[in-house]
Amino acid sequence: MDPVKPVPESRAADPLTEYVQRVNRRVRAFDRRRPLVWDLHLTGFWVLAALIDASGGWRNVAHDPDVPVGLVVALSLALSVPLLRRRSHPRTALLVTLPAALVNAWTGAALQAALLQLLLVHHIALRLPLRDLSWAVVLVTAPTCLTVARYGDGAGSWSQQLGSQLLSIGVAALIGITVRARRGHTEALEDRARRLERERDQQVRLAAATERARIAREMHDIIGHNLSVITGLADGGRYAAAKSPDRATQALDAIGTTSRQALGELRRLLDVLRDDDQDGTRTAELTPQPALTDLAHLLDGVRRAGLPVRTTVRGEAALPEGRQLTLYRVIQEALTNTLKHAGPDATAHIELSYEAGGAVTLTVTDTGRASPLPSPAPSDGRGLPGMRERTSLYGGTLEAGPRPAPERGWRVRLHLPEESPQ
């Protein structure tokens, strides 16, 4: 792939275009804050233009130059002052100007201020339902029809006058409709951008919550299991200290090894949360998650803590890493609970049955008490819920409870169905 080339300065945005857009944004922002100021300025401009025409220029195109000047001034004001309400009430403003437009046509003054009705047509097309545009066309066309009917050929032919008027109305309405469509499109894009931003923020929060739950679950599995092993080793070492100092020394060595292992796993987990280094790389030691191949090491630690464990495996394992991690963590949590609650002289049995298509059944039983004992510290509730969460990720089921009488102890049974085809 060719490297991305920098955009030449000549292709950069035109400074004049940027300046015009910046000024336009400022004007629009000011207009939104103080709409009356802009309306007064624009209306004042058109009133002044109408009065200048009424000072004498209107006679150059009038059908009757003898119309009284006072009437001309009044008509000029009546056709221009209603523009003050062109944005808020364009329909009312057009109705207000209609009598003046009809008088202007009847008297033959032919004031240019009558063209300001086109501005009202533009705002009707821009702001009101399009059905209002039809009667607006009729109202604006009526004075033209009156002029042609009263002054005949002196006002031009019907086709010429009406064609010119309808063309002007069409241009004004088309501009209004175009601006309206553009505004609607812009608002739709802005609304979509806001919705996408909200969805992005929600996805970020969901991802963060999921990651926090995953880290909490991993920390619970790591710390809970290793502390249970350490507690078992410490209890055994205390009893062995008086009778067999060598056994006590072995227990202390095992406690040190287990503690260092737990610290190492916890450090690798927390290093993932560190910020990037200055060179943009992470220094965390990214080791693979435990799998079923690490099960022997886990069982050795449990046995050193005083819990005899035997295993039975049926079939051949051919599972992806995610499923192996789920089985490993469920076994770890089940044995941790056994160490905590099963009591002395308990034993554990792990049975793994691999089936065709990736299905697997895991059963962990112990011969301890019939139900878990409450732990001295308040429980965070992450044991069984954590196992069920892991199982549900693969559409599996998990059952945990006392073994049926007359057997003693506790049983955890997990079943993962066949992997769905991709």
Side-chain angles (χ1 to χ4, degrees):
M1 181 183 297
D2 295 335
V4 178
K5 298 181 180 180
V7 178
E9 294 184 359
S10 59
R11 291 188 178 182
D14 187 1
L16 180 59
T17 302
E18 292 183 355
Y19 176 76
V20 172
Q21 292 176 349
R22 186 164 58 250
V23 171
N24 183 46
R25 286 194 296 268
R26 291 179 179 177
V27 171
R28 289 181 178 273
F30 179 81
D31 183 41
R32 284 192 296 268
R33 293 193 304 269
R34 295 185 175 90
L36 184 59
V37 174
W38 180 254
D39 289 341
L40 287 173
H41 278 77
L42 188 61
T43 303
F45 170 79
W46 290 117
V47 170
L48 181 61
L51 292 177
I52 290 175
D53 183 56
S55 64
W58 62 278
R59 290 188 175 90
N60 296 327
V61 295
H63 303 298
D64 184 2
D66 297 328
V67 178
V69 176
L71 180 59
V72 171
V73 173
L75 293 176
S76 298
L77 293 175
L79 290 169
S80 58
V81 172
L83 292 180
L84 183 64
R85 309 296 290 177
R86 73 190 187 283
R87 292 197 289 185
S88 58
H89 300 84
R91 182 168 45 195
T92 302
L94 181 61
L95 291 174
V96 170
T97 61
L98 180 61
L102 293 173
V103 172
N104 177 55
W106 180 262
T107 59
L111 297 176
Q112 300 298 309
L115 295 176
L116 295 177
Q117 287 186 313
L118 298 177
L119 187 58
L120 297 175
V121 172
H122 165 80
H123 281 278
I124 289 175
L126 177 63
R127 304 177 187 280
L128 299 182
L130 294 181
R131 63 176 178 271
D132 294 336
L133 191 59
S134 57
W135 63 260
V137 173
V138 174
L139 294 180
V140 176
T141 308
T144 303
C145 296
L146 182 59
T147 298
V148 176
R150 180 170 173 77
Y151 293 98
D153 294 338
S157 64
W158 280 91
S159 59
Q160 180 182 357
Q161 287 291 312
L162 286 178
S164 176
Q165 183 70 358
L166 291 176
L167 179 61
S168 300
I169 294 173
V171 171
L174 183 60
I175 293 175
I177 294 173
T178 303
V179 174
R180 181 176 187 166
R182 182 176 179 274
R183 286 183 179 178
H185 180 65
T186 303
E187 291 174 358
L189 291 178
E190 291 176 351
D191 180 68
R192 182 171 181 269
R194 286 192 295 268
R195 286 189 287 106
L196 289 176
E197 185 176 359
R198 287 195 298 268
E199 292 175 1
R200 182 199 63 189
D201 294 340
Q202 291 173 356
Q203 290 175 356
V204 169
R205 287 194 294 269
L206 288 174
T210 302
E211 185 65 11
R212 286 195 297 268
R214 185 190 69 82
I215 292 173
R217 188 166 56 241
E218 295 292 338
M219 291 180 65
H220 171 270
D221 293 341
I222 293 172
I223 297 175
H225 171 75
N226 286 285
L227 286 181
S228 297
V229 172
I230 291 172
T231 301
L233 291 171
D235 291 341
R238 182 182 61 185
Y239 289 115
K243 299 180 180 180
S244 178
D246 293 337
R247 296 289 300 274
T249 301
Q250 294 176 1
L252 291 174
D253 291 339
I255 289 173
T257 301
T258 305
S259 300
R260 285 189 291 272
Q261 178 185 355
L263 287 175
E265 293 181 8
L266 186 60
R267 185 179 296 110
R268 284 192 294 270
L269 179 62
L270 295 180
D271 279 347
V272 179
L273 303 179
R274 288 183 180 177
D275 294 334
D276 292 344
D277 294 336
Q278 293 181 355
D279 60 354
T281 60
R282 291 188 181 275
T283 58
E285 184 182 354
L286 302 179
T287 58
Q289 291 280 13
L292 293 179
T293 54
D294 303 307
L295 193 58
H297 182 71
L298 173 69
L299 298 182
D300 288 342
V302 173
R303 293 186 182 107
R304 286 198 304 267
L307 177 63
V309 182
R310 61 188 180 91
T311 60
T312 302
V313 180
R314 297 184 178 90
E316 296 182 358
L319 301 177
E321 294 180 357
R323 292 191 167 214
Q324 291 190 43
L325 177 61
T326 297
L327 292 173
Y328 181 93
R329 291 304 189 195
V330 170
I331 293 173
Q332 185 183 50
E333 180 64 27
L335 295 179
T336 299
N337 290 336
T338 300
L339 285 170
K340 286 181 180 179
H341 308 302
D345 301 328
T347 61
H349 179 212
I350 300 172
E351 183 177 351
L352 271 170
S353 298
Y354 299 104
E355 304 169 13
V360 61
T361 301
L362 165 68
T363 305
V364 181
T365 57
D366 64 57
T367 59
R369 298 183 178 92
S371 60
L373 295 177
S375 57
S379 174
D380 59 3
R382 295 188 183 276
L384 289 176
M387 289 193 287
R388 289 194 173 94
E389 288 176 5
R390 291 183 183 276
T391 305
S392 63
L393 291 176
Y394 299 95
T397 58
L398 186 136
E399 301 172 359
R403 299 171 67 185
E407 298 177 334
R408 298 175 60 249
W410 193 265
R411 183 184 71 171
V412 175
R413 185 179 184 278
L414 175 148
H415 177 73
L416 298 182
E418 296 182 6
E419 297 183 72
S420 59
Q422 300 296 327

